[in-house]
Amino acid sequence: MKTTQFPTTVEGVSERVAGFIAHLRYNGYRTSVAETEKTLKALPLIDIEEHQQVKLLCKTICTSNKNNFDDFDELFDSYWFNRGREKIGTASVQEKRQTRNRQHQPGTDSTVSTEAEGEAEQPETSDIDGEASHQADGRLVASRIKNKEKIDFRELVTPESIQQAEQLAYLLAKAIRDRRSRRYRASLRGNRLNLRKTIRDSVSYGGVPINLYRQQRPDRPVKIVTILDVSGSMTVYARVFLSFVKGLISHDTKADAYLFHTALLRIGDTLRDHDTLRAMNRLTLMAQGFGGGTRIGANLKHFNDQYAQHCVDGRTVVIILSDGYDTDPPEILADALKRLSKRNCKIVWLNPLKGWKDYEPIAQGMAAALPYLDHFAAANTLESLAALEPALRKL
Amino acid sequence: MSWKELQQDLAASCYIASNELAMAVYLASEQQRPLLLEGEAGVGKTEIAKQLAAIHKTNLIRLQCYEGLDANTSIYEWNYQKQLLRVQAVRDSSSDEIESQIFSEKYLLKRPLLEAITQAKAPVLLIDEIDRADEEFEAYLLEVLSDYQVSIPELGTISATSKPLVVLTSNGSRDLSDALRRRCFYSYVSYPDTETELAILQARLPHINARLAEQIVRFVQSLRKEELEKKPGVAEMLDWAAALSGLGVAKLSDNPTELQATLVCLLKTQIDQYAVPQMVTERLVAQVVE
């Protein structure tokens, strides 16, 4: 939980603004001294007594992408109104700080009205053993859950195999990604002469080719989108699969990952966190609070509606890691996959059960999905993951 | 001018801006920094640049980005033909002399970016769909956007005579580099809510029947909640409203067949047109017509 309390001891606007910028940085924004300076320069342009205006101003200056733009209001309120809210979607790292914060009174800044008091304290993390329950809107709020429901992935697999899974995934991702187009395209430092353009250009020099233009085959990297099932039936595999997914996407800024149980969450940015432990803790939090049914169809539909447009195209491999046990009717899954496949992507389904002896894909969901898959493979052991490489290379 | 005044000015020239957008535009023009606008297609990102030019009574210089856009077509290019003619005309003078002649501003073709910083009155520079241009081009832009200057090896650095108000738009087809984002003020333009959209419609088509206008806006708002591949934007809504009022429709429920036919203004893919059959249209109309 990353909270920054309102600095009651601090005097003056500039220090408070600097504190606010630090608070944003602490919450994953890319803000720095430059933003503090911009904000302070811009403040005289508006009515500083009106907190609504100040919020709009800071929002314009400090946000730089849609995610930031969406969470900003909450972070603004948490700092200036001292609501003690935590970072959206983080693991519980600093509960002690959190508890301490809760004893703080709202700030004394004149721009801050008293409305903060009433809605300020909602039940939040209270003890270190507390676990997260997941709310549908993607925000994590820690709450008390009985200890016995705690799922510890670490007991199920050894650290070495987790590491190995990540390494394997990295190699796989490399195998899938490395693609070159057959065509040539103009390029400043190409390895071949672009004759057509050079000759065309030479006309303006009276037929003397003074400018030599070059061309090369452009990289057409394949994008990897992973959708990971962490429902009850998959918990045994969840930890190792998470590492696998992390390996798949961590060296590629275009790759993306999603996790679902009863709801769908985007985890690409969390997984790219260079602090592996923190990332894993966050994900463990995200993966908890389920245990009910798996809604593969509905979640894929959600994926189609919300994310597919931006992250799936003809050069994308969508990897679904799931056992195919769906509580929704199979038609929904089939429809969702059909729509997804219309985006001309490759769909790979890795099913841990397929590695079992005598497994037949008779789970209704799995049977409905089969016609739309480009590759269907087992994924219950590290060896089976390693065996994927030749197949994925061919896609 | 305060940001509220700017918002009112925009409204007066038929652009209803949200508070966030108005503040972003205001700060960008006061602090002379570029403004990066992201959002779905058809929410009025490009339009705001046009309206800003109208408000400030200045030129709008537009640079439409595309894959493969390079410095030659966006910043400057030497007029080779003219240079060559010159060289042939003064064959007998010394080469240094010729060189200093042909690499002068007279032989420079200004492309939009250079054009924008050499104007007498600061223009509005619209760099449209920056996400379509290559990453290399972003790097060119950085120099122009942060220092408002262009370096030409043969001539030296040309600094801005006036700093243009730069508006960049992006549809998110690729992620922009952090370096570019950091130099800009940012605002995300989302679909307007019902009241705002109604205000937009009434500002743009003042002669439209008030009851029809409300029905149109509520219909489009609920259509956006349907599962569509491409949700209709504000521009589509305005087209549709113009079509309906041109057809003399007074109430959406008047002629269902005709209404269904006019949906071509809103639904731009085959799948979406299948997804909204007559039955769905009628259900949506029933909700908005009481």
Side-chain angles (χ1 to χ4, degrees):
Chain A
M1 304 303 139
K2 302 201 170 178
T3 47
T4 314
Q5 69 229 30
F6 192 86
T8 43
T9 54
V10 169
E11 303 254 330
V13 177
S14 43
E15 252 180 278
R16 283 183 183 160
V17 170
F20 176 58
I21 302 292
H23 165 70
L24 290 180
R25 186 163 56 238
Y26 198 32
N27 281 284
Y29 281 53
R30 289 171 177 262
T31 50
S32 66
V33 188
E35 273 71 28
T36 317
E37 193 192 335
K38 281 186 217 167
T39 313
L40 288 172
K41 268 192 192 158
L43 277 173
L45 295 173
I46 55 155
D47 184 1
I48 199 168
E49 307 259 307
E50 287 278 330
H51 71 262
Q52 207 55 37
Q53 289 191 22
V54 177
K55 186 193 283 187
L56 289 175
L57 177 126
C58 295
K59 193 168 185 177
T60 298
I61 295 176
C62 301
T63 58
S64 60
N65 59 41
K66 181 162 192 295
N67 285 350
N68 290 171
F69 198 78
D70 292 342
D71 329 322
F72 184 84
D73 288 354
E74 204 155 331
L75 287 169
F76 184 89
D77 291 348
S78 85
Y79 181 81
W80 296 101
F81 297 101
N82 208 23
R83 299 236 166 119
R85 294 215 69 98
E86 67 275 20
K87 179 175 177 186
I88 293 160
T90 21
S92 54
V93 185
Q94 284 145 329
E95 284 83 359
K96 280 192 180 154
R97 175 190 287 266
Q98 174 72 20
T99 351
R100 202 177 60 216
N101 281 347
R102 301 178 65 206
Q103 291 152 7
H104 264 272
Q105 291 305 308
T108 51
D109 190 279
S110 61
T111 63
V112 182
S113 61
T114 47
E115 61 170 344
E117 293 259 19
E119 35 197 315
E121 304 295 341
Q122 284 175 11
E124 277 158 5
T125 325
S126 47
D127 55 27
I128 291 160
D129 289 328
E131 300 220 345
S133 67
H134 167 246
Q135 288 181 341
D137 62 1
R139 183 191 320 159
L140 291 167
V141 176
S143 67
R144 281 170 214 267
I145 293 179
K146 274 169 271 161
N147 236 354
K148 63 179 176 185
E149 279 174 21
K150 179 160 181 166
I151 305 155
D152 190 358
F153 296 121
R154 267 166 297 189
E155 287 168 17
L156 300 166
V157 279
T158 59
E160 293 82 55
S161 57
I162 287 177
Q163 219 167 30
Q164 228 175 325
E166 193 174 329
Q167 192 58 32
L168 259 175
Y170 174 61
L171 293 174
L172 272 181
K174 236 170 96 177
I176 300 173
R177 215 162 38 217
D178 187 25
R179 288 293 155 85
R180 256 150 208 272
S181 163
R182 281 165 191 271
R183 292 186 186 169
Y184 281 89
R185 224 175 69 179
S187 152
L188 278 182
R189 284 170 293 279
N191 49 7
R192 234 175 81 159
L193 207 57
N194 187 346
L195 278 179
R196 174 196 274 232
K197 211 173 166 189
T198 308
I199 291 171
R200 173 76 181 77
D201 186 73
S202 75
V203 172
S204 57
Y205 299 104
V208 187
I210 288 181
N211 287 335
L212 298 183
Y213 292 94
R214 308 194 144 264
Q215 61 182 7
Q216 73 174 356
R217 291 183 166 166
D219 278 328
R220 298 246 193 255
V222 172
K223 209 158 72 174
I224 302 172
V225 173
T226 326
I227 304 176
L228 173 61
D229 179 354
V230 288
S231 60
S233 51
M234 290 281 288
T235 43
V236 192
Y237 302 99
R239 180 108 191 162
V240 70
F241 278 179
L242 275 175
S243 305
F244 181 70
V245 175
K246 183 168 159 52
L248 277 181
I249 75 159
S250 56
H251 294 277
D252 181 3
T253 48
K254 280 185 177 163
D256 212 346
Y258 299 83
L259 164 156
F260 71 89
H261 29 85
T262 47
L264 185 79
L265 287 172
R266 181 158 177 252
I267 54 170
D269 295 336
T270 318
L271 278 180
R272 272 197 206 96
D273 197 332
H274 50 86
D275 183 345
T276 318
L277 188 69
R278 188 168 64 195
M280 280 303 151
N281 280 335
R282 277 199 217 171
L283 285 170
T284 314
L285 278 175
M286 283 184 183
Q288 284 167 357
F290 58 91
T294 326
R295 303 185 55 214
I296 308 176
N299 281 310
L300 278 180
K301 200 160 145 294
H302 179 194
F303 175 74
N304 275 334
D305 291 342
Q306 200 174 341
Y307 301 108
Q309 192 181 359
H310 292 299
C311 70
V312 179
D313 57 21
R315 284 186 227 283
T316 307
V317 176
V318 180
I319 300 179
I320 302 171
L321 285 151
S322 170
D323 55 8
Y325 285 123
D326 197 352
T327 49
D328 284 335
E331 297 83 47
I332 299 183
L333 176 62
D335 270 355
L337 282 172
K338 190 173 166 192
R339 225 176 108 197
L340 189 60
S341 62
K342 284 226 172 116
R343 291 198 176 270
N344 205 13
C345 58
K346 302 280 184 230
I347 305 178
V348 177
W349 191 302
L350 302 182
N351 188 337
L353 304 186
K354 196 177 179 225
W356 294 7
K357 226 173 116 194
D358 303 330
Y359 169 78
E360 291 286 331
I362 45 165
Q364 275 186 326
M366 208 57 246
L370 275 180
Y372 304 103
L373 304 183
D374 295 280
H375 187 65
F376 177 50
N380 62 328
T381 58
L382 284 174
E383 288 82 66
S384 60
L385 286 179
L388 287 171
E389 191 180 329
L392 293 185
R393 212 184 258 277
K394 259 186 264 165
L395 281 180
Chain B
M1 185 159 70
S2 78
W3 70 282
K4 274 286 176 200
E5 280 163 25
L6 178 74
Q7 196 174 24
Q8 281 155 13
D9 281 356
L10 281 171
S13 68
C14 301
Y15 191 97
I16 314 291
S18 68
N19 287 343
E20 279 144 357
L21 183 59
M23 176 63 86
V25 171
Y26 172 70
L27 284 179
S29 56
E30 286 297 314
Q31 307 257 304
Q32 298 185 320
R33 272 175 185 279
L35 173 64
L36 172 62
L37 296 178
E38 279 189 316
E40 301 284 330
V43 289
K45 301 186 294 292
T46 307
E47 192 62 28
I48 192 152
K50 294 184 187 164
Q51 298 304 338
L52 277 175
I55 288 179
H56 294 303
K57 298 194 181 59
T58 173
N59 290 339
L60 173 71
I61 297 177
R62 178 171 177 162
L63 175 65
Q64 172 69 48
C65 297
Y66 53 87
E67 211 175 310
L69 179 69
D70 59 0
N72 279 349
T73 39
S74 61
I75 305 180
Y76 72 92
E77 191 173 19
W78 290 106
N79 191 342
Y80 297 121
Q81 286 85 348
K82 214 171 152 190
Q83 283 178 332
L84 207 67
L85 284 174
R86 181 76 196 165
V87 172
Q88 280 168 352
V90 290
R91 219 162 255 252
D92 40 345
S93 50
S94 77
S95 63
D96 279 353
E97 230 171 84
I98 299 179
E99 223 169 84
S100 65
Q101 275 176 7
I102 60 171
F103 289 116
S104 62
E105 283 204 35
K106 230 168 105 186
Y107 294 87
L108 197 66
L109 292 177
K110 288 178 184 170
R111 301 294 187 208
L113 290 181
L114 185 58
E115 183 88 56
I117 65 167
T118 50
Q119 301 259 321
K121 189 178 181 193
V124 175
L125 171 63
L126 169 65
I127 302 175
D128 214 4
E129 303 188 335
I130 174 72
D131 49 335
R132 290 196 188 189
D134 307 313
E135 278 161 37
E136 283 170 27
F137 177 69
E138 261 181 48
Y140 292 130
L141 261 187
L142 291 181
E143 188 191 5
V144 180
L145 294 186
S146 58
D147 304 330
Y148 294 102
Q149 64 178 36
V150 169
S151 306
I152 302 175
E154 296 89 349
L155 257 187
T157 305
I158 298 184
S159 305
T161 49
S162 60
K163 287 187 181 177
L165 173 56
V166 185
V167 179
L168 299 110
T169 73
S170 159
N171 281 329
S173 70
R174 110 182 131 73
D175 238 354
L176 301 175
S177 72
D178 278 340
L180 184 67
R181 283 180 188 277
R182 294 214 43 182
R183 280 170 177 78
C184 302
F185 286 142
Y186 176 85
S187 193
Y188 187 85
V189 188
S190 46
Y191 290 118
D193 55 18
T194 313
E195 289 85 52
T196 318
E197 196 163 17
L198 193 58
I200 294 170
L201 178 55
Q202 275 160 351
R204 283 302 167 101
L205 298 170
H207 304 300
I208 200 164
N209 174 350
R211 200 178 52 172
L212 178 66
E214 198 192 330
Q215 288 175 0
I216 287 173
V217 168
R218 289 178 57 200
F219 181 88
V220 173
Q221 291 267 345
S222 49
L223 191 63
R224 283 195 195 121
K225 293 190 187 105
E226 294 290 308
E227 282 164 22
L228 296 178
E229 278 194 342
K230 203 179 156 333
K231 297 198 166 103
V234 179
E236 276 86 7
M237 185 275 294
L238 289 172
D239 285 349
W240 191 51
L244 287 179
S245 70
L247 288 168
V249 176
K251 213 171 149 203
L252 286 188
S253 51
D254 280 353
N255 186 343
T257 335
E258 193 179 81
L259 185 76
Q260 184 68 25
T262 59
L263 286 186
V264 291
C265 301
L266 295 176
L267 305 170
K268 300 290 176 73
T269 71
Q270 192 194 13
I271 293 172
D272 285 353
Q273 292 195 345
Y274 276 124
V276 186
Q278 184 112 24
M279 213 171 64
V280 176
T281 315
E282 277 168 24
R283 172 168 62 78
L284 292 176
V285 168
Q287 283 169 8
V288 299
V289 180
E290 276 123 37

